[in-house]
Amino acid sequence: MAAPEVTHLPNLPNDVEGLRQSIRDAVVRVVGEDPRQATERDWMEALAFAIRERMVERRLLTRRQFADEDVKRVYYLSMEYLIGRMLEANLRNMGILEPARQAMADLGVDLDTILDLEDDAALGNGGLGRLAACILESLATQGYPGYGYGIRYEFGMFRQEFEPYQQVEHPDNWLRYGNPWEFPRSDRKYPVHFYGYVVEHHHPNGETRYTWEDGEEVLAMAYDYPTAGYGRRNVNNLRLWAAKATRDFDLRYFNEGDYIRAVADKAESETISMVLYPNDATAIGKELRLKQEYFFVSASLQDILDRHLALGYDLDALPDKVAIQLNDTHPAIAVAELMRLLMDAHELSWERAWELTRKTFAYTNHTLMPEALETWPVELMERVLPRHMGIIYQINHGFLEEVRHRYPGDTERLARLSIIDEGNGRRVRMAHLAVVGSHRVNGVAALHTQLLQETLFEDFYNLWPERFVNVTNGVTPRLWMIQSNPALTDLLGQRIGNDWQYNLDGLRALEPYAQDPELQKAFMDVKRANKQRLTDLVRERTGVELNPDVMFDVQIKRIHEYKRQLLKLLHVVDLYQRIRAGEDVPPRVVLFGGKAAPGYARAKGIIQVINEVADIVNNDPAIGDRLKCVFFPNYEVSSASIIIPAADISEQISTAGFEASGTGNMKLALNGALTIGTLDGANIEIRDAVGEESIFIFGMTADEVVEHRRSGPSPEAILAQQPNLAAAVEMIESGFFTCDDPETHGDLGRYLRHEDPFFVIADYPAYAAACDRADTLYADRAAWAEAAILNVARMGFFSIDRTVRDYANHIWDITPEPVAPSRTNGAA
């Protein structure tokens, strides 16, 4: 007998009484504990499960609405999702934070205490992953049909510690207590194939088909994470894949008593989703990285096609109902994989499969550095993914024929454009594959997109100018203002209401009050309270005592040479020298945060020297509170939400022409930090938005960097004219700050004196002058407050909601479908 159709969904109450009952029930029925014996962690899990129930209701309503309205869906493919802690975000976005706080209090539990128990989800590293998380949240907030796909890393990036000054990586076991937000989908498993060989089959009708045989196979199992919109009933989905062995163990080896070998295949298979970004400095690491990328792409595309067909669409309708966004080059193998699935699994012709593929994919580029664009040795690709290598050869052949007809006889252009780089050991250029296989390519800031068109992808732009668009990045105000800075949120609400929470352009209403002494005082009081909160956290994590009444100068981002943490460090050493010499230097706290990739020796050396300088500066009695330097350990989303509201200065000092966009610059400016920055990435658009009087721009432009590289003075020549800077370099190089081995940083000194590829030395005089300008303004408290308030008021453009609308309108061609509050049933 068929089961009756269920059209109505339960409607759980969101008031204090309803939440209290759900939480108490969850302690017993889900956590399995007596409420009288429950620990704080038990209560945290119970609250999470109670909220999850309500999110599931909204998730089902959202799915039904999308099905009823026959919508086009966007699927976002990203190797990273830096979503941070989810409990407070879900409470806030669901609109039940305060009822939950009261319900927990009624149960004898402090909500703030249990919020701090949650681990950050270790699914990302930097701006790429945080952007992906912001985009998913905004899709749900605006009611767009959007889904994320990625990998459920068991250990994530790594947990950063210093022993004593050097970065040491420890496993980040963020799942050690389980995860109440995820739904394991054991019915959603897809086979993913590696190695083996390809067999060609010639059919009597003249068609040629291919089968991929032998090799190894793993299963990708889905774990779903509901993503709630703010102020909406829409809940979208993030689906992450975990690798599972096709069998648990080999019974032959088990029966022979070789228990280790019996489970070896299972252990090897499941390493694919073990760690975010394995160290690819070794051949084994490179191979694992490639397998990771293909693993999640293959499972995601199989799932997308299954959903598309289950909804009743045929494959010819794929571009009309599906948009797939490639977040950087990591998922670029998707171009070849979709071709394989369409041809080998669904028996489409090459021509039809290629047309559908190009119309379905779009590609976001996140870097201007050629060496940061992924390439894979042909030999590795042929061995690990033999079918895909054949498809890539065929794509490249057809593409180069097109180029040859457009530019006959231009062999150099053919070599530059080819997906296969023949000049560097035969490598597959994944960015080229993404561009050739997509109908749109976007940069993430105005300057970045311009430079993509003029430099990195100039030949592609000349070939297909209509494919290139700009979509400047944004950040979600829900996390980076409303949740992270509740005191400022309340202050803004008192002055201009709360409409800006749904449309960030509404912050413009704050402008007329920027010179109001009462608002200025209240604004600076909020900033001071946020600095005290950070002071407490720094004391807890590092033992360093900060003075919340001085300037907080912050540089928080991934550690990389082009981001120039060394430039800020030289300024710290310069200030240290000047204070010791008796100069009256305005006091400041300098705070660094960020991780270096495990195999990036130079970046790890920069962390070490910062920590060594900090140790000397912070413990020199001649310095006192006039200068403090802190490297905040294990920087992540939860700590960023405390650091960012406390910052007075936002350091955005990358070498011009190297930073694609940045989103940290936007988060800091939104919270009232003034930017010291180069004309790089989104800094240019921030300058245009906030006004030149509210930002401290310095240094060479991207064009001047190119010219300086060609004919500018050497670092040694510049140092000869800058005695303070030369002395700072000498102090680092000579081992002044190094206790054990004076030669530790001799190589770093030589690097700055003779190489300096990112022009730290060349830009330093202009940078020091910009810092002096900031000090002068900071001394005028009213002028500083006015500039900071205007900074906040003029940041509306940098909302992630505008970013998503740009994607939706110019790339994805999707429309919002907000779920009505009264909607409780409909066709499944």
Side-chain angles (χ1 to χ4, degrees):
M1 188 173 81
E5 181 181 2
V6 178
T7 58
H8 291 277
L9 296 171
N11 190 14
L12 294 170
N14 289 325
D15 60 0
V16 173
E17 182 179 351
L19 285 168
R20 184 171 59 242
Q21 186 61 48
S22 292
I23 296 163
R24 185 188 290 111
D25 288 349
V27 169
V28 175
R29 296 175 184 173
V30 181
V31 180
E33 187 55 84
D34 184 337
R36 291 178 297 182
Q37 306 298 323
T39 66
E40 289 178 339
R41 186 166 295 279
D42 292 334
W43 286 112
M44 183 197 77
E45 292 186 10
L47 174 59
F49 280 112
I51 303 312
R52 193 178 83 154
E53 282 187 299
R54 289 155 172 80
M55 294 178 71
V56 170
E57 285 182 1
R58 297 188 183 188
R59 174 77 191 103
L60 297 177
L61 291 174
T62 304
R63 284 170 52 185
R64 290 184 174 191
Q65 169 123 342
F66 291 166
D68 290 352
E69 299 299 330
D70 193 28
V71 300
K72 182 178 182 180
R73 296 162 169 82
V74 62
Y75 300 97
Y76 199 80
L77 271 57
S78 178
M79 283 285 281
E80 297 185 42
Y81 290 94
L82 199 59
I83 56 180
R85 296 173 175 175
M86 291 172 274
L87 181 52
E88 183 174 355
N90 286 334
L91 285 168
R92 193 176 299 279
N93 281 12
M94 294 280 287
I96 53 178
L97 178 62
E98 292 312 315
R101 186 184 304 280
Q102 184 59 55
M104 295 301 288
D106 292 348
L107 293 166
V109 183
D110 177 62
L111 179 63
D112 292 330
T113 299
I114 68 168
L115 290 178
D116 282 338
L117 295 176
E118 186 178 19
D119 289 314
D120 282 55
L123 299 171
N125 175 34
L128 180 90
R130 187 53 234 172
L131 175 71
C134 283
I135 283 176
L136 291 191
E137 187 262 5
S138 179
L139 284 166
T141 294
Q142 297 187 82
Y144 285 106
Y147 306 78
Y149 281 104
I151 297 178
R152 180 183 178 269
Y153 302 105
E154 188 168 342
F155 289 102
M157 182 69 173
F158 57 81
R159 180 169 49 83
Q160 180 193 57
E161 294 183 4
F162 304 130
E163 298 180 6
Y165 304 115
Q166 296 176 329
Q167 171 181 290
V168 178
E169 301 91 22
H170 295 279
D172 188 355
N173 188 9
W174 70 289
L175 293 169
R176 63 190 179 276
Y177 297 113
N179 189 338
W181 302 110
E182 67 182 18
F183 289 84
R185 301 294 191 191
S186 57
D187 60 325
R188 281 288 176 180
K189 292 193 182 92
Y190 292 99
V192 180
H193 203 127
F194 301 103
Y195 309 113
Y197 55 88
V198 178
V199 177
E200 188 175 294
H201 305 276
H202 298 282
H203 291 252
N205 64 2
E207 289 186 352
T208 301
R209 294 291 176 186
Y210 300 87
T211 57
W212 185 4
E213 301 183 1
D214 285 353
E216 297 177 4
E217 190 172 85
V218 301
L219 294 176
M221 177 177 158
Y223 288 77
D224 286 350
Y225 291 71
T227 304
Y230 180 74
R232 295 265 192 213
R233 290 175 66 82
N234 289 67
V235 174
N236 288 345
N237 196 55
L238 169 61
R239 177 160 285 181
L240 303 177
W241 301 103
K244 304 293 182 182
T246 53
R247 58 186 179 184
D248 285 338
F249 62 88
D250 191 314
L251 191 60
R252 290 176 303 153
Y253 296 129
F254 184 83
N255 288 336
E256 293 169 5
D258 192 347
Y259 306 127
I260 301 299
R261 193 172 179 186
V263 298
D265 287 346
K266 172 181 171 65
E268 184 175 348
S269 296
E270 297 181 0
T271 60
I272 290 175
S273 57
M274 190 72 68
V275 178
L276 169 67
Y277 294 163
N279 188 348
D280 58 4
T282 65
I284 293 174
K286 286 185 174 68
E287 188 167 323
L288 179 56
R289 175 78 169 266
L290 175 60
K291 290 173 74 174
Q292 275 190 339
E293 293 179 2
Y294 175 63
F295 163 79
F296 106 86
V297 158
S298 177
S300 301
L301 291 181
Q302 291 180 68
D303 195 46
I304 290 167
L305 290 179
D306 275 5
R307 182 179 295 107
H308 179 77
L309 295 171
L311 287 166
Y313 307 123
D314 60 32
L315 290 175
D316 283 341
L318 193 66
D320 300 321
K321 294 300 178 183
V322 169
I324 302 175
Q325 190 71 31
L326 305 175
N327 191 28
D328 216 10
T329 53
H330 310 133
I333 193 64
V335 173
E337 173 65 0
L338 184 56
M339 290 293 292
R340 184 190 73 84
L341 291 170
L342 293 176
M343 293 188 300
D344 297 359
H346 297 281
E347 299 187 339
L348 269 61
S349 68
W350 174 275
E351 291 75 18
R352 188 64 186 132
W354 185 233
E355 180 183 2
L356 295 175
T357 295
R358 292 181 85 171
K359 288 181 177 179
T360 301
F361 282 116
Y363 161 53
T364 299
N365 173 276
H366 284 279
T367 183
L368 289 162
M369 301 173 68
E371 63 271 23
L373 295 176
E374 279 192 326
T375 63
W376 295 109
V378 167
E379 175 277 326
L380 178 63
M381 288 279 287
E382 287 179 332
R383 180 164 52 84
V384 178
L385 301 173
R387 178 67 179 114
H388 298 76
M389 199 63 244
I391 291 170
I392 290 169
Y393 280 137
Q394 193 167 347
I395 291 172
N396 197 42
H397 174 76
F399 167 57
L400 292 183
E401 283 298 302
E402 182 181 347
V403 175
R404 190 175 287 111
H405 289 133
R406 286 277 299 272
Y407 303 98
D410 193 343
T411 56
E412 291 186 1
R413 187 183 298 267
L414 287 173
R416 293 196 304 268
L417 284 168
S418 175
I419 297 171
I420 310 298
D421 181 359
E422 304 283 357
N424 294 288
R426 300 201 74 222
R427 302 179 71 88
V428 182
R429 296 161 163 159
M430 301 308 288
H432 287 215
L433 178 63
V435 173
V436 172
S438 298
H439 71 285
R440 289 288 185 274
V441 177
N442 73 279
V444 289
L447 175 65
H448 174 230
T449 301
Q450 176 189 335
L451 292 174
L452 282 182
Q453 296 168 359
E454 294 176 353
T455 58
L456 198 64
F457 294 148
E458 180 183 11
D459 291 319
F460 285 109
Y461 179 69
N462 290 334
L463 192 64
W464 301 310
E466 72 283 355
R467 291 194 189 183
F468 286 80
V469 296
N470 177 61
V471 181
T472 297
N473 283 343
V475 299
T476 172
R478 272 76 65 178
L479 173 57
W480 298 114
M481 173 76 86
I482 299 170
Q483 181 173 321
S484 300
N485 203 343
L488 183 56
T489 299
D490 290 344
L491 178 61
L492 297 182
Q494 294 165 19
R495 281 301 176 115
I496 61 173
N498 294 319
D499 288 350
W500 62 270
Q501 297 185 16
Y502 305 94
N503 179 1
L504 202 60
D505 286 329
L507 288 175
R508 280 281 181 181
L510 193 63
E511 278 197 48
Y513 303 103
Q515 294 182 335
D516 179 351
E518 183 181 340
L519 178 63
Q520 289 178 358
K521 180 182 184 305
F523 185 92
M524 296 305 288
D525 286 346
V526 166
K527 179 66 71 173
R528 207 270 182 197
N530 288 334
K531 290 158 83 168
Q532 183 61 59
R533 182 172 60 154
L534 176 57
T535 294
D536 296 340
L537 181 64
V538 168
R539 182 192 308 113
E540 175 189 326
R541 296 284 183 89
T542 70
V544 178
E545 188 69 46
L546 306 181
N547 179 2
D549 293 313
V550 305
M551 175 190 284
F552 275 35
D553 186 348
V554 169
Q555 188 177 20
I556 41 175
K557 54 184 72 247
R558 182 166 50 92
I559 309 301
H560 197 289
E561 290 164 88
Y562 85 83
K563 294 179 184 288
R564 301 203 294 191
Q565 284 86 2
L566 277 176
L567 183 58
K568 181 73 251 179
L569 180 65
L570 286 173
H571 186 237
V572 171
V573 176
D574 186 12
L575 293 176
Y576 177 67
Q577 295 178 109
R578 290 160 58 188
I579 295 171
R580 283 175 58 91
E583 190 174 334
D584 185 15
V585 173
R588 71 187 337 113
V589 166
V590 177
L591 187 144
F592 296 90
K595 297 178 181 179
Y600 192 170
R602 179 72 69 194
K604 294 178 80 170
I606 290 170
I607 290 176
Q608 179 180 345
V609 71
I610 291 173
N611 277 321
E612 290 169 345
V613 169
D615 187 43
I616 297 297
V617 169
N618 296 338
N619 291 288
D620 189 334
I623 302 301
D625 280 348
R626 286 182 289 175
L627 179 63
K628 294 291 184 182
C629 180
V630 173
F631 199 117
F632 192 91
N634 203 45
Y635 175 67
E636 54 191 356
V637 174
S638 57
S639 52
S641 67
I642 295 176
I643 295 170
I644 287 170
D648 294 304
I649 287 290
S650 166
E651 296 280 353
Q652 308 298 328
I653 56 179
S654 55
T655 310
F658 284 86
E659 186 73 81
S661 173
T663 53
N665 48 6
M666 303 170 191
K667 298 162 195 167
L668 285 153
L670 179 63
N671 282 271
L674 302 192
T675 302
I676 294 179
T678 51
L679 289 176
D680 196 29
N683 289 353
I684 297 171
E685 289 156 283
I686 291 176
R687 177 202 61 182
D688 294 343
V690 305
E692 293 190 2
E693 68 281 2
S694 296
I695 192 169
F696 307 100
I697 295 296
F698 75 95
M700 293 181 285
T701 65
D703 288 341
E704 289 168 345
V705 164
V706 173
E707 180 60 30
H708 188 93
R709 192 183 302 280
R710 184 184 305 118
S711 59
S714 69
E716 285 185 294
I718 297 170
L719 287 170
Q721 302 298 317
Q722 298 287 329
N724 276 19
L725 176 58
V729 172
E730 170 63 23
M731 289 180 77
I732 292 172
E733 185 179 24
S734 67
F736 179 91
F737 298 102
T738 308
C739 299
D740 299 330
D741 182 2
E743 291 297 315
T744 299
H745 300 300
D747 177 66
L748 181 59
R750 290 186 289 273
Y751 165 83
L752 288 171
R753 291 181 185 281
H754 304 296
E755 299 176 41
D756 195 24
F758 298 101
F759 308 109
V760 170
I761 301 302
D763 262 351
Y764 184 82
Y767 173 67
C771 292
D772 289 344
R773 295 200 305 274
D775 284 335
T776 299
L777 184 64
Y778 192 76
D780 184 339
R781 304 297 282 168
W784 183 273
E786 179 183 351
I789 292 168
L790 289 175
N791 231 48
V792 175
R794 295 169 177 173
M795 287 300 292
F797 175 77
F798 301 98
S799 169
I800 193 65
D801 298 335
R802 187 268 316 149
T803 302
V804 165
R805 288 194 298 271
D806 285 351
Y807 275 111
N809 296 332
H810 304 308
I811 297 178
W812 301 333
D813 190 27
I814 61 172
T815 54
E817 291 290 343
V819 175
S822 61
R823 185 179 177 83
T824 57
N825 59 62

